[in-house]
Amino acid sequence: MLLTRLALLAVLLPTVALAQRDTSREALARVEETLTLRLEQGGIALKDVTPAIVVSVSPAFEESRAWYPTAALQTLVRVFGSAALRSCEACMASRLFVEEGRLEQFTTTLGTEEIIRLDENARGKAPPARVAIWLDETLEGVSLRIINLHNSRIVFVQNFDPGLTELARTRRNFTLTEELERRARGDSLTHTFLDVTMYPGQHISLDFAEQWGDTNANLAGLSLSAYDPLIGVGGAYYRVIPNALNIMVGAKVLLSVPTAIASGIGGQTTEIIDPLLTAVFVVRLPIASSNYGVTFTASTNGRIGFGISLMNITALPFLP
């Protein structure tokens, strides 16, 4: 049994090592793409970060010790150019200081003052480095830090993995925090709903609703209809039920514009196409976290329909 386990372990270890190298390679590719975009879009100015001194390109695994430093340096060279980079080998080694009656050895992380001193000792007549770069391997990918040496300002810092899942998770959590803070303040939020039900009855309307209340579960606002009634305007109210897939239940009361105009001219209520007032009961079920939903409507005109609801979309939702 022990021999079997050892044999399996010997077979699996190269696979694990190869998978980790692939992870680091993909993470380095994300570093290159991100920095290139920042330079092209003006997020980082090349003149502000060059020349740069590479302080650390440390591998995280014994299997990657031979190839990772070279791969990391190649990534930085492709982004900044070889003429703009300096490798600080002394920065990655332990430092030994000898004074009269005193001997000190440091293996801790370098500070900006010490990096500047090492750069001064090695650069000759070249201009001083503007930033220091750390690009180290981690369990999930790589970690990048770019620090301004003159004022210790953080120019760029981020952890990279092949799918940028950490960045996506951070943005998602920030969005959630922002939403919870908005709810805590009780601030309203405007929503747009386009309801289109075609079977078996028809109803088409456009709603502009404000989200409000202690839990922001209420929506109320203006509703415009293009069918049932044919041309209508009125008010709408909905209640969101978070525990039931964020389903919205509510109703709208619509005034038929043609009937109202005819009644005003004739001096008495005259039904032209639709009754003067139409009440529509509405149920919307969002589809996952998308901007689309399934809608059910039932009006006092006897029309019942199923269809779709487009929620908070642009005029051309197929465009980015």
Side-chain angles (χ1 to χ4, degrees):
M1 181 63 70
L2 180 59
L3 291 176
T4 302
R5 291 182 178 179
L6 290 175
L8 289 173
L9 184 61
V11 171
L12 290 175
L13 276 177
T15 304
V16 173
L18 180 60
Q20 183 56 48
R21 288 198 297 271
D22 291 340
T23 298
S24 299
R25 287 194 182 97
E26 289 295 321
L28 287 174
R30 301 293 85 76
V31 170
E32 182 176 348
E33 294 163 358
T34 301
L35 289 179
T36 301
L37 285 173
R38 291 294 182 95
L39 290 171
E40 291 177 350
Q41 297 174 359
I44 298 176
L46 190 61
K47 63 180 180 63
D48 294 334
V49 295
T50 55
I53 183 170
V54 181
V55 176
S56 175
V57 282
S58 300
F61 305 94
E62 186 65 32
E63 294 81 5
S64 58
R65 184 175 298 277
W67 68 268
Y68 177 77
T70 302
L73 288 174
Q74 286 177 336
T75 298
L76 295 174
V77 167
R78 285 193 293 268
V79 174
F80 298 107
S82 59
L85 294 175
R86 299 171 188 162
S87 178
C88 182
E89 296 182 0
C91 297
M92 293 179 253
S94 58
R95 285 90 63 203
L96 183 65
F97 297 96
V98 180
E99 298 179 0
E100 185 177 352
R102 185 177 181 181
L103 178 66
E104 287 184 294
Q105 184 178 25
F106 293 89
T107 58
T108 57
T109 303
L110 289 170
T112 55
E113 292 184 359
E114 195 170 358
I115 295 173
I116 292 173
R117 184 177 60 81
L118 290 171
D119 181 54
E120 289 176 349
N121 294 337
R123 72 169 188 264
K125 296 181 180 180
R130 294 180 181 272
V131 300
I133 299 176
W134 289 258
L135 183 55
D136 299 326
E137 189 179 23
T138 65
L139 292 175
E140 298 179 350
V142 298
S143 173
L144 173 65
R145 288 181 295 155
I146 303 178
I147 307 297
N148 190 306
L149 290 175
H150 300 287
N151 53 20
S152 298
R153 182 177 66 88
I154 298 174
V155 178
F156 187 86
V157 57
Q158 187 172 314
N159 292 328
F160 290 86
D161 57 80
L164 295 180
T165 54
E166 182 173 334
L167 179 61
R169 183 169 60 249
T170 300
R171 288 177 176 171
R172 184 170 60 252
N173 291 341
F174 178 79
T175 302
L176 175 61
T177 302
E178 188 179 40
E179 173 64 14
L180 293 176
E181 286 294 318
R182 184 190 64 77
R183 292 185 180 185
R185 294 192 304 268
D187 294 345
S188 62
L189 183 66
T190 302
H191 295 269
T192 304
F193 304 110
L194 177 60
D195 297 325
V196 181
T197 59
M198 302 302 294
Y199 183 84
Q202 292 79 42
H203 173 77
I204 301 174
S205 65
L206 178 64
D207 296 353
F208 302 95
E210 290 284 334
Q211 187 175 351
W212 54 275
D214 294 338
T215 60
N216 282 296
N218 302 287
L219 295 102
L222 176 68
S223 180
L224 306 173
S225 73
Y227 200 93
D228 192 27
L230 181 59
I231 302 176
V233 60
Y237 170 80
Y238 306 100
R239 177 76 179 185
V240 180
I241 307 175
N243 295 332
L245 302 176
N246 287 319
I247 192 171
M248 282 181 279
V249 180
K252 59 186 79 175
V253 178
L254 301 168
L255 174 70
S256 174
V257 175
T259 301
I261 293 174
S263 299
I265 295 174
Q268 59 182 355
T269 302
T270 303
E271 183 175 319
I272 302 298
I273 301 174
D274 301 296
L276 183 62
L277 293 176
T278 299
V280 182
F281 174 73
V282 181
V283 176
R284 292 192 193 92
L285 177 62
I287 301 175
S289 58
S290 71
N291 294 94
Y292 303 90
V294 179
T295 305
F296 166 79
T297 61
S299 73
T300 53
N301 295 333
R303 295 189 177 95
I304 297 175
F306 293 89
I308 62 172
S309 181
L310 310 180
M311 303 177 289
N312 297 321
I313 65 168
T314 60
L316 298 174
F318 51 83
L319 294 179

